[in-house]
């Protein structure tokens, strides 16, 4: 959220300010550049430190997805040390990750995205007055409830880890906590409160069970027509208004999508290895190529980074992230023909640039690849195909769709805990290389750790923002957000809210500043923050 | 109305996220019931238009009263003191800070990065980060030792990684309701009301601390985390076990050692090899003792406490 955000790549993928430069011609964006504007140097800080330093340091890369960083950091050490992770600990890690993401959904939707629906550009929409009533910052009826109730799910995180954000309760070999019946009961009650006070009555307008019957785009549209409560729920209202104002018409992007998969199955990843990870995740990994309509598994060895357009002195060839040395150059002058960002361009060795995030996860969830027991859900893939590909609206729907299935996964964790079984098995520290990954609310996140002589030799992070925000790559191909911006219609060049929608639809974890230029005259038309 | 401008430097937004968890009052209540007017915030600000720079200049020029400047994140000076590695609205953030600091009635540093430099300032501090008025325990920081805001107060430090939401909201409310005069600051300019007691104050493991019964490894329901797992609860000033986190718990209650994150030295020992989640000892005795306790008395106390310890001190205490 906020953006803030952050995120970050191994090196400067940081939350802070992302600048976007767009060029506009004849009412449309014809070119765009995104650049991250803050460098803190986490990879540099971690060199030479205690092997477990990443458990404390990496959550502070991003306070929005701190639990996701902690998850990646602990699995990375588990694979490096060859630990055994007890079943309860896998469930406790998953539950933390799940409630952090559930928290993020209303906080992001109301706090960051829906505010824009009250922009004066939409005054002519028949939905406008109601949007103002619901979504106005601080005072909107839904805004106030949604932003406030978003604090509830992370109370469950605090029951496990003591606090949210920034606990480090996940450690190689398991978790630090050993919850009691009281903790589990309270967690159930908090989930129920969230469901009965917001999720069902306000967000869906129906029961979780009714929502779960939706399998296709037709099912969804039928659900809308079925009951006034569905149409008038925040989800139903948002969907109808978005179609009315054309959010389904732009913001496509690169057309290829990545997820590492996440939520290790409690019985299948107790002896974690890098190689064994894909077959042990409840939500499967994968790459979806919409041009050929094919799904393939994703593997850490397929990742590459290119620094041609980034402020680092590390060459211009594609390299594997674990081979990076993170050498920032002091002079970070913006030069749109050369280096213009602290973010790197992340690629797949065969598919090139990929979009990360909830849309990517849900498009992959619709594939028939992977293990037969893994979670499968074809809804968003069907919507995507019926709409003719990606756009802002389906990207939002994917994010919002996940809340119900994550709620079910949280219930699963609470049901499966065996309170008298172990939560931690003390590991033996040793040298070695590890890799850990998960899916943060906003997409694919992973950490590489290399331990030598009892200390960190190299630590590298690729965050979802890095996939999406990255600048042009070695072939001068635009990154996902840069590409998604091209073709955006601009109603009012002095207030290009549409650019804000596109940038925010990626929930890019960055505070973006948008500069709009006239492509013909070069004159700056407007500048505004997108988060 | 009390105007609040919230900016971020080398930040992770953890304090913003924490702030949004506030319950009594909630962030929305703060605005509707306590007369706080958020001029702008990176995540919540509404200016979709252009006007952020104008707004900042209006604050600097006194056209818009800047009652409270809240800063989150470190002040980034890299490279070579220019601050270009953290640009905001086309200018190094530190340059905005210099101008805004002159205009603000009160300045509140929220979280460790803004107070002491925090994790970005860990060795080797690649971003040349500082806190607003401190770097670690050394007074001065970015604005200098003698800096005073227009109210006459130094930067009010609300440390923590992150700061607890109540610590933030209560200070904002105190200023907005004219009660800030009631709030005493300690030698690190932290509000004493939150930082005079120890993290240990109210910890559910205190009885184990008293009888020297240890939690030898993670995932247990007994013992104190101070003796083996590096807990800094006895030496750290915070109210984490009085004003609970997310209404329900605290790190030490949940079985996580306190990392001392409200103190300027956090992260302690720069996280050098062997220092993470391990108590530093000499001949089996913790190197660092609770403040004000001398080694000799501590050794005596240990002997007596171990002799007096009831059998239950070594058994599972918090059973399922």
């Amino acid at each position: 959220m906020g953006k803030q955000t952050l995120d970050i790549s191994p090196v400067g993928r940081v939350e802070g300010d992302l600048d976007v430069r767009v060029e506009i011609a004849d009412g449309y964006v014809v070119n765009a550049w995104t650049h991250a504007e803050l460098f803190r140097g986490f990879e540099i800080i971690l060199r030479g430190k205690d092997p477990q330093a990443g458990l404390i340091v990496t959550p502070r890369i991003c306070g929005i997805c701190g639990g996701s960083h902690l998850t990646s950091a602990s699995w990375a050490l588990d694979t490096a040390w060859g630990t055994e992770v007890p079943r309860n600990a896998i469930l406790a890690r998953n539950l933390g990750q799940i409630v952090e993401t559930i928290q993020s959904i209303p906080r992001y939707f109301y706090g960051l995205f829906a505010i824009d629906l009250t922009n004066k550009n939409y005054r002519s929409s028949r939905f406008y007055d109601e949007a103002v009533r619901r979504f106005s910052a601080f005072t909107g009826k839904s805004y106030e409830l949604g932003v406030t109730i978003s604090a509830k799910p992370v109370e469950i995180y605090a029951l496990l880890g003591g606090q949210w954000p920034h606990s480090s309760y996940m450690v190689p070999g398991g978790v630090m906590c050993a919850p009691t019946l009281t903790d589990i009961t309270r967690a159930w009650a908090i989930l129920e409160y969230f469901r009965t006070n917001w999720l069902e009555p306000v967000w869906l307008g129906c029961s979780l069970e009714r929502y779960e019957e939706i399998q296709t785009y037709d099912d969804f549209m039928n659900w809308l027509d079925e009951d006034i409560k569905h149409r008038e729920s925040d989800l139903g209202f948002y969907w109808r208004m978005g179609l009315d104002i054309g959010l389904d018409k732009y913001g496509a992007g690169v057309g290829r999508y990545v997820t590492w998969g996440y939520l290790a199955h409690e019985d299948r990843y107790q002896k974690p290895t890098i190689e064994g990870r894909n077959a042990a995740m409840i939500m499967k990994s994968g790459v979806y190529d919409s041009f050929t309509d094919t799904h393939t598994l994703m593997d850490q060895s397929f990742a590459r980074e290119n620094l041609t357009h980034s402020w680092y002195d590390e060459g211009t060839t594609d390299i594997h992230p674990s081979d990076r040395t993170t050498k920032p150059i002091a002079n970070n002058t913006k030069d749109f023909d050369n280096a213009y960002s602290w973010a790197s361009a992340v690629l797949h060795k065969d598919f090139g640039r990929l979009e990360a995030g909830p849309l990517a996860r849900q498009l992959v969830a619709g594939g028939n690849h992977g293990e037969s027991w893994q979670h499968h859900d074809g809804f968003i893939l069907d919507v995507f195909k019926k709409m003719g590909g990606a756009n802002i609206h389906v990207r939002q729907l994917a994010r919002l769709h996940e809340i119900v299935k994550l709620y079910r996964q949280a219930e699963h964790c609470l049901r499966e805990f065996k309170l008298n079984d172990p939560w931690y098995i003390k590991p033996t520290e040793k040298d070695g290389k590890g890799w850990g990954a998960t899916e943060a609310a906003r997409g694919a996140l992973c950490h590489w750790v290399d331990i030598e002589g009892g200390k960190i030799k190299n630590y590298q992070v690729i965050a979802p923002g890095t996939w999406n925000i990255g600048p042009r790559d070695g072939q001068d191909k635009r990154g996902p957000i840069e590409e998604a911006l091209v073709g955006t219609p601009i109603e009012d060049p002095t207030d290009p809210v549409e650019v804000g929608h596109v940038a925010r639809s990626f929930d890019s974890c960055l505070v973006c500043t948008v500069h709009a230029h006239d492509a013909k005259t070069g004159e700056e038309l407007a500048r505004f923050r997108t988060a | 109305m009390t105007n609040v401008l919230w900016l971020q430097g080398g930040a992770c937004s953890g304090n913003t996220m924490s702030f949004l968890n506030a319950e009594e009052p909630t962030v929305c209540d703060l605005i509707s019931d306590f007369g706080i007017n958020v001029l702008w915030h990176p995540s919540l600000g509404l200016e979709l238009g252009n006007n952020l720079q104008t707004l900042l200049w209006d604050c600097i020029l006194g056209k818009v009263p800047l009652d409270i400047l809240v800063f989150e994140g470190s002040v980034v000076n890299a490279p070579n003191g220019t601050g270009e590695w953290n640009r905001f609205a086309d200018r190094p953030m530190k340059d905005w800070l210099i101008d805004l600091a002159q205009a603000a009635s009160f300045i509140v540093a929220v979280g460790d990065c803004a107070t002491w430099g925090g994790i970005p300032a860990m060795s080797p501090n690649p971003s040349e980060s500082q806190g607003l008025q401190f770097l670690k325990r050394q007074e001065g920081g970015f604005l200098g030792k003698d800096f005073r805001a227009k109210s006459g107060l130094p930067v009010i430090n609300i440390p923590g990684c992150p700061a607890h939401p109540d610590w933030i909201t209560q200070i904002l409310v105190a200023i907005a309701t004219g009660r800030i005069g009631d709030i005493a600051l300690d030698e690190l300019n932290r509000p004493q009301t939150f930082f005079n007691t120890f993290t240990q104050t109210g910890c559910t493991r205190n009885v184990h601390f008293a009888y020297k019964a240890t939690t030898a490894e993670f995932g247990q329901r007994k013992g104190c985390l101070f003796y083996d797992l590096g807990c800094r609860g006895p030496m750290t000033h915070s109210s984490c076990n009085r004003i609970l986190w997310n209404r329900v718990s605290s790190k030490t209650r949940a079985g996580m050692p306190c990392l001392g994150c409200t103190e300027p030295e956090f992260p302690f020992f720069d996280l050098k090899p062997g220092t993470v989640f391990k108590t530093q000892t000499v001949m089996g005795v913790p190197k660092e003792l609770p403040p004000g306790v001398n080694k000799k008395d501590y050794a005596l106390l240990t002997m007596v406490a171990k002799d007096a310890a009831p059998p239950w001190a070594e058994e599972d205490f918090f059973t399922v």
Side-chain angles (χ1 to χ4, degrees):
Chain A
M1 306 186 27
K3 313 211 43 348
Q4 2 163 350
T5 214
L6 150 30
D7 220 63
I8 347 182
S9 78
V11 221
R13 302 145 183 190
V14 164
E15 130 173 266
D17 292 318
L18 176 76
D19 279 24
V20 178
R21 167 178 287 226
V22 293
E23 287 186 342
I24 298 170
D26 306 320
Y28 287 89
V29 173
V30 293
N31 211 343
W33 294 262
T34 53
H35 48 117
E37 280 282 22
L38 169 65
F39 178 77
R40 288 172 297 166
F42 278 85
E43 293 78 7
I44 297 170
I45 288 170
L46 281 163
R47 280 180 208 149
K49 303 294 198 294
D50 187 280
Q52 295 185 96
L55 302 168
I56 295 170
V57 172
T58 64
R60 275 79 180 188
I61 291 175
C62 171
I64 295 159
C65 303
S68 305
H69 278 284
L70 180 61
T71 302
S72 297
S74 48
W75 287 118
L77 286 169
D78 284 315
T79 57
W81 287 355
T83 66
E84 184 176 350
V85 182
R87 188 174 185 276
N88 272 342
I90 296 177
L91 292 164
R93 290 183 188 185
N94 287 353
L95 184 57
Q97 165 89 74
I98 290 162
V99 296
E100 176 175 275
T101 300
I102 291 176
Q103 163 269 150
S104 184
I105 293 171
R107 203 167 272 191
Y108 158 77
F109 179 77
Y110 296 112
L112 297 176
F113 187 81
I115 297 178
D116 284 345
L117 303 173
T118 67
N119 185 285
K120 60 170 178 24
N121 277 17
Y122 302 122
R123 239 180 250 155
S124 55
S125 166
R126 63 194 167 94
F127 296 93
Y128 183 76
D129 291 346
E130 181 62 16
V132 169
R133 205 176 64 80
R134 293 188 193 207
F135 302 140
S136 290
F138 304 120
T139 55
K141 202 158 155 281
S142 297
Y143 179 101
E144 184 163 1
L145 176 64
V147 168
T148 302
I149 211 161
S150 66
K152 288 309 225 189
V154 288
E155 290 177 358
I156 297 171
Y157 195 100
L159 287 168
L160 300 167
Q163 65 178 70
W164 188 90
H166 291 344
S167 166
S168 300
Y169 77 96
M170 307 174 200
V171 278
V175 288
M176 293 176 173
C177 57
T180 63
L181 182 62
T182 308
D183 299 314
I184 304 303
T185 307
R186 289 187 86 176
W188 272 114
I190 291 164
L191 271 185
E192 290 291 328
Y193 177 91
F194 184 76
R195 179 174 64 84
T196 57
N197 286 276
W198 176 74
L199 183 51
E200 286 182 342
V202 178
W203 182 247
L204 300 173
C206 68
S207 66
L208 301 189
E209 290 76 11
R210 173 63 191 92
Y211 181 80
E212 286 167 323
E213 290 169 15
I214 297 169
Q215 303 288 320
T216 64
Y217 192 32
D218 288 347
D219 289 350
F220 181 69
M221 297 311 277
N222 291 337
W223 170 83
L224 270 181
D225 288 339
E226 178 182 296
D227 191 320
I228 190 165
K229 288 200 204 74
H230 304 171
R231 279 193 298 285
E232 289 299 326
S233 69
D234 279 356
L235 174 61
F237 176 83
Y238 166 68
W239 191 255
R240 291 181 301 128
M241 179 170 180
L243 293 177
D244 187 61
I245 62 177
L247 296 184
D248 57 329
K249 300 282 188 274
Y250 60 100
V254 294
R256 294 186 180 94
Y257 306 88
V258 63
T259 169
W260 292 121
Y262 71 135
L263 303 183
H265 189 284
E266 61 272 17
D267 297 321
R268 298 174 190 266
Y269 206 49
Q270 292 170 11
K271 300 232 165 112
T273 61
I274 299 174
E275 304 70 38
R277 186 178 177 281
N278 269 343
M281 295 296 127
I282 295 170
M283 305 292 180
K284 58 196 173 194
S285 95
V287 172
Y288 175 62
D289 180 350
S290 71
F291 301 100
T292 57
D293 191 25
T294 51
H295 291 86
T296 46
L297 283 169
M298 183 60 185
D299 187 275
Q300 62 85 26
S301 65
F302 301 161
R304 297 289 180 272
E305 276 186 278
N306 184 285
L307 302 154
T308 304
H309 293 284
S310 312
W311 290 307
Y312 303 99
D313 181 17
E314 297 171 61
T316 56
T317 52
D318 292 356
I319 49 175
H320 188 265
S322 66
D323 296 330
R324 282 204 52 192
T325 50
T326 308
K327 290 185 195 149
I329 55 176
N331 177 6
N332 59 322
T333 307
K334 279 178 259 190
D335 175 352
F336 290 103
D337 296 325
N338 295 295
Y340 62 92
S341 183
W342 285 118
S344 58
V346 191
L347 310 97
H348 182 292
K349 71 176 175 63
D350 301 322
F351 292 106
R353 307 302 289 275
L354 304 173
E355 174 179 330
L359 176 61
R361 279 196 291 268
Q362 293 313 306
L363 293 174
V364 169
N368 294 317
H369 63 303
E371 309 291 316
S372 60
W373 61 269
Q374 288 176 313
H375 173 83
H376 177 278
D377 177 357
F379 170 54
I380 295 293
L381 185 59
D382 185 65
V383 176
F384 178 91
K385 289 179 177 175
K386 297 264 168 52
M387 293 182 115
N391 54 63
I392 292 170
H393 216 28
V394 70
R395 195 173 284 121
Q396 289 301 311
L397 185 66
R399 180 121 164 61
L400 306 167
H401 176 64
E402 290 188 324
I403 197 164
V404 173
K405 55 174 95 181
L406 288 172
Y407 188 97
R408 295 304 194 199
Q409 291 292 335
E411 288 180 322
H412 171 82
C413 294
L414 289 171
R415 255 198 312 273
E416 290 294 324
F417 284 133
K418 293 180 178 159
L419 298 178
N420 289 309
D421 287 359
W423 300 85
Y424 175 77
I425 298 168
K426 193 175 168 72
T428 307
E429 300 192 23
K430 58 182 194 199
D431 287 0
K433 292 185 177 185
W435 180 73
T438 190
E439 284 285 321
R442 31 201 69 65
L445 170 68
C446 67
H447 293 191
W448 284 267
V449 64
D450 184 358
I451 305 161
E452 201 175 273
K455 57 189 185 206
I456 293 170
K457 181 184 173 199
N458 193 10
Y459 205 105
Q460 293 292 334
V461 175
I462 291 201
T466 318
W467 284 99
N468 292 336
I469 288 160
R472 282 156 176 72
D473 60 22
Q475 272 87 54
D476 282 343
K477 289 213 175 81
R478 284 186 283 258
I481 298 183
E482 292 179 334
E483 193 60 43
L485 285 163
V486 173
T488 299
I490 304 294
E491 175 100 2
D492 172 4
T494 64
D495 185 15
V497 64
E498 300 87 350
V499 172
H501 286 320
V502 175
R504 289 200 185 96
S505 75
F506 284 83
D507 189 8
S508 48
C509 260
L510 275 148
V511 183
C512 310
T513 308
V514 171
H515 307 260
H517 292 259
D518 186 307
K520 292 172 183 158
T521 66
E523 182 196 355
E524 181 159 338
L525 300 166
R527 171 179 308 179
F528 66 80
R529 305 289 298 225
T530 61
Chain B
M1 285 306 263
T2 304
N3 285 341
V4 177
L5 174 67
W6 185 310
L7 296 179
Q8 294 175 335
C12 78
S13 288
N15 293 287
T16 289
M17 289 297 113
S18 184
F19 176 63
L20 288 173
N21 293 338
E23 282 247 338
E24 287 160 346
T26 67
V27 172
C28 292
D29 292 342
L30 199 64
I31 285 149
S32 49
D33 304 341
F34 289 89
I36 302 268
N37 174 41
V38 179
L39 290 172
W40 193 80
H41 177 291
S43 308
L44 308 169
L46 296 181
E47 273 59 30
L48 261 195
N50 61 49
N51 294 333
L52 178 65
Q53 283 207 42
T54 311
L55 174 68
L56 296 174
W57 285 112
D58 283 350
C59 290
I60 291 165
L61 299 170
K63 292 183 191 169
V64 172
L66 178 54
D67 299 306
I68 307 176
L69 172 64
V70 175
F71 198 70
E72 175 182 11
S74 64
V75 183
V76 172
N77 293 290
N80 309 316
T82 62
E84 292 287 341
W85 284 9
N86 177 23
R87 283 192 292 250
F88 171 75
D90 274 350
R91 234 181 136 196
M93 176 54 91
K94 77 185 202 34
D95 293 355
W96 286 113
L97 264 180
I98 290 170
D99 293 337
L100 289 161
Q102 302 305 317
S105 298
F106 296 90
I107 301 180
V108 180
V110 168
D112 282 348
C113 298
T115 51
W116 333 118
I119 283 188
M122 253 175 97
S123 159
N125 195 354
S127 57
E128 298 170 38
S129 280
Q130 294 171 293
L132 283 180
Q133 215 168 357
F134 282 84
L135 176 58
K136 305 292 177 183
R137 197 168 285 267
Q138 189 183 352
E139 207 170 353
F142 177 68
L143 293 172
K145 190 166 175 291
D146 299 326
F147 173 84
R148 294 293 178 269
K150 281 180 13 191
S151 60
L153 286 177
V155 173
I156 300 170
N157 283 329
I158 306 182
C161 191
H164 190 292
D166 290 13
W167 307 342
I168 306 171
T169 57
Q170 290 182 42
I171 292 303
L172 296 181
V173 168
I175 295 172
T177 57
R179 287 178 181 272
I180 195 69
D182 297 345
I183 304 292
L185 301 181
D186 69 12
E187 75 282 2
L188 296 170
N189 298 335
R190 300 177 294 195
Q192 282 188 16
T193 181
F194 307 123
F195 300 100
N196 197 41
T197 55
F198 295 103
T199 305
Q200 188 179 23
T201 311
C203 180
T204 49
R205 298 170 185 265
N206 274 343
V207 69
H208 292 83
F209 177 81
Y211 291 121
K212 313 296 172 192
T214 184
T215 310
E217 55 181 58
F218 293 123
Q220 296 184 359
R221 296 195 180 100
K222 64 172 185 194
C224 169
L225 305 158
F226 170 75
Y227 301 104
D228 286 309
L229 299 179
C231 182
R232 305 196 59 86
M235 300 84 91
T236 300
H237 296 86
S238 89
S239 49
C240 293
N241 278 297
R242 287 193 296 123
I243 305 172
L244 295 182
W245 281 84
N246 311 84
R247 291 190 316 116
V248 297
S249 197
S250 73
K251 283 195 182 111
T252 62
R253 289 182 183 207
M256 177 175 166
C258 166
L259 302 174
C261 80
T262 50
E263 299 294 341
E265 291 78 11
F266 172 82
F268 281 80
F269 315 113
D270 275 339
L271 306 181
K272 285 191 191 82
T275 64
V276 174
F277 308 138
K278 293 183 184 80
T279 302
Q280 306 301 297
T281 57
V282 186
M283 318 270 292
V285 179
K287 262 191 205 173
E288 287 178 272
L289 301 175
V293 177
N294 72 55
K295 278 205 169 69
K296 200 170 105 229
D297 291 346
Y298 183 83
L300 187 65
L301 191 65
T302 301
M303 221 157 45
V304 175
K306 282 195 168 166
D307 279 350
W312 55 254
E314 294 295 346
E315 294 162 8
D316 263 3
F317 195 60
F318 304 101
T319 47
V320 168

